[in-house]
Amino acid sequence: MVNNTTFFKYVKIALFGWGIMLCGFAIAHFTVLDFIGKAIMWIGILLGWWGVGKATQNFFRARFK
């Protein structure tokens, strides 16, 4: 049985990270702050994929226990 509170906590982190990525994308492409926008974008990408990885790990650990 998957612990839904932990699973959805990581899903929320992933969505939050991808939201940060979109903000960084907007900053990089629509302003002159290219380097800062790309840095924010990469932080969002890494946070998003970390959340996906932890949610997937949580799901499969509970599934095949």
Side-chain angles (χ1 to χ4, degrees), residues 23-42:
C23 291
F25 178 81
I27 291 169
H29 288 280
F30 300 122
T31 67
V32 295
L33 305 171
D34 190 49
F35 181 74
I36 294 170
K38 285 182 181 178
I40 292 170
M41 192 167 67
W42 274 107

Side-chain angles (χ1 to χ4, degrees), residues 14 17-18 44-54:
W18 286 332
I45 289 169
L46 293 174
L47 184 63
W49 282 115
W50 179 81
V52 167
K54 292 298 281 187

